[in-house]
Amino acid sequence: MEFTVNMQPEMMLNIIWLILGGVILIISAGFFVTLFRFRLKKRVRKYKAPKPAKKPPIEYVRNHTI
């Protein structure tokens, strides 16, 4: 009994599928880059100086000293 196996061409794939895959890859890479940019932008916060404490009026200090 004899079996024969026909070899298929290596690039039997249509060129349109390769182009479509490349386009999808580029679009998804751009999406992830912009996503990480916005995430990093949210994490970086400017330091806000604390508000100074209000001082009591000078009359209160003069009247309530020990």
Side-chain angles (χ1 to χ4, degrees):
M1 210 180 254
E2 199 173 307
F3 292 101
T4 59
V5 177
N6 294 331
M7 300 295 284
Q8 294 181 354
E10 290 180 17
M11 292 298 287
M12 199 172 122
L13 191 64
N14 210 354
I15 191 72
I16 293 177
W17 291 112
L18 289 175
I19 293 171
L20 184 64
V23 168
I24 290 173
L25 181 69
I26 290 171
I27 290 172
S28 63
F31 174 73
F32 282 111
V33 166
T34 55
L35 180 71
F36 284 119
R37 274 189 188 172
F38 284 121
R39 275 194 173 176
L40 290 177
K41 200 176 220 183
K42 284 183 181 179
R43 288 185 185 173
V44 177
R45 294 183 182 174
K46 294 181 180 178
Y47 174 74
K48 291 184 179 180
K51 293 181 180 179
K54 292 184 179 179
K55 294 181 182 178
I58 193 71
E59 295 85 17
Y60 180 81
V61 176
R62 286 185 187 163
N63 295 333
H64 292 88
T65 54
I66 300 175

